[in-house]
């Protein structure tokens, strides 16, 4: 998909903060629907040479993510009324680069449940979406 450019003071329809799996999809859907969209991403644009084949580099040194060891401890809360607290041993750091965490994930793909393949037939379709059964069971 072609990438649009906008002058700093140009008004756009949507600004998406973060270019990860969620933000990237939202930006693409809106742009495809004809809206002007700007994505704000805090991190750098990484290239293939920035990804060594070295598990220690990613998991122990957290070179490509932000976590406690990088001075960005993760905080969580269960409800917006709570104060977000630091959680020791949080499982993952957060990405900070164009493409978000999807750019350097581990490649785990969770096993699908049987209903995942025919959920539209079982639960019904959703107006305005392309939610549909898979062509395989
Ligand atoms: C090392 C690692 C391995 C993983 N492996 C797997 C796997 O094997 N299988 C699997 O299913 N999942 C895996 N995950 C999880 C999966 O990648 C994430 O769940 C998914 O990418 C989250 O998508 P997201 O859009 O919510 O957030 P992210 O992909 O984290 O994107 C958020 C983006 O927002 C940006 N951002 C945040 N705040 C700001 C701000 N204030 N201003 C500008 N930009 C901002 C960040 O820089 C980042 O680019 C892994 C994650 C990591 C970190």
């Amino acid at each position: 998909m072609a990438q649009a450019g906008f002058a700093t003071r140009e008004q756009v329809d949507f600004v998406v903060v973060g270019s990860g799996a969620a933000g990237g999809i939202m930006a693409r859907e809106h742009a495809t629907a004809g809206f002007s969209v700007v994505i704000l991403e805090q991190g750098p644009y990484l290239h293939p040479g920035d990804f060594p084949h070295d598990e220690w580099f990613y998991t122990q040194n957290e070179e490509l993510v932000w976590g406690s060891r990088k001075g960005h401890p993760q905080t969580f809360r269960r409800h917006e009324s709570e104060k977000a607290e630091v959680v020791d041993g949080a499982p993952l750091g957060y990405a900070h680069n164009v493409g978000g965490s999807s750019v350097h994930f581990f490649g785990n793909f969770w096993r699908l449940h049987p209903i995942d393949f025919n959920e539209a037939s079982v639960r019904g379709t959703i107006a305005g979406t392309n939610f549909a059964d898979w062509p395989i069971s």
Side-chain angles (χ1 to χ4, degrees):
M1 184 178 208
Q3 184 176 318
F6 300 96
T8 309
R9 294 193 174 278
E10 200 170 336
Q11 191 166 343
V12 295
D13 298 313
F14 291 95
V15 174
V16 177
V17 180
S19 62
I25 289 169
M26 289 304 294
R28 185 186 189 283
E29 289 295 314
H30 283 85
T32 304
F35 295 104
S36 55
V37 184
V38 164
I39 302 181
L40 299 179
E41 171 54 55
Q42 65 187 347
Y45 196 115
L46 300 174
H47 298 91
D50 298 317
F51 299 90
H53 198 72
D54 179 354
E55 198 170 344
W56 195 267
F57 174 92
Y58 302 101
T59 59
Q60 299 305 312
N61 292 349
E62 295 183 337
E63 293 291 348
L64 295 182
V65 298
W66 277 2
S68 299
R69 273 164 275 180
K70 289 289 180 188
H72 299 276
Q74 295 179 35
T75 60
F76 290 93
R77 60 182 177 178
R78 292 189 175 80
H79 188 268
E80 60 187 350
S81 64
E82 296 177 1
K83 183 177 183 303
E85 304 283 358
V86 174
V87 177
D88 280 336
L92 288 172
Y94 291 112
H96 61 116
N97 50 262
V98 173
S101 303
S102 63
V103 167
H104 49 85
F105 81 149
F106 292 129
N108 300 322
F109 297 99
W110 313 125
R111 183 184 292 274
L112 293 163
H113 295 282
I115 192 176
D116 291 331
F117 295 93
N118 64 347
E119 200 168 352
S121 295
V122 175
R123 301 193 198 281
T125 54
I126 303 171
T129 75
N130 60 359
F131 182 48
D133 291 344
W134 286 38
I136 56 173
S137 61

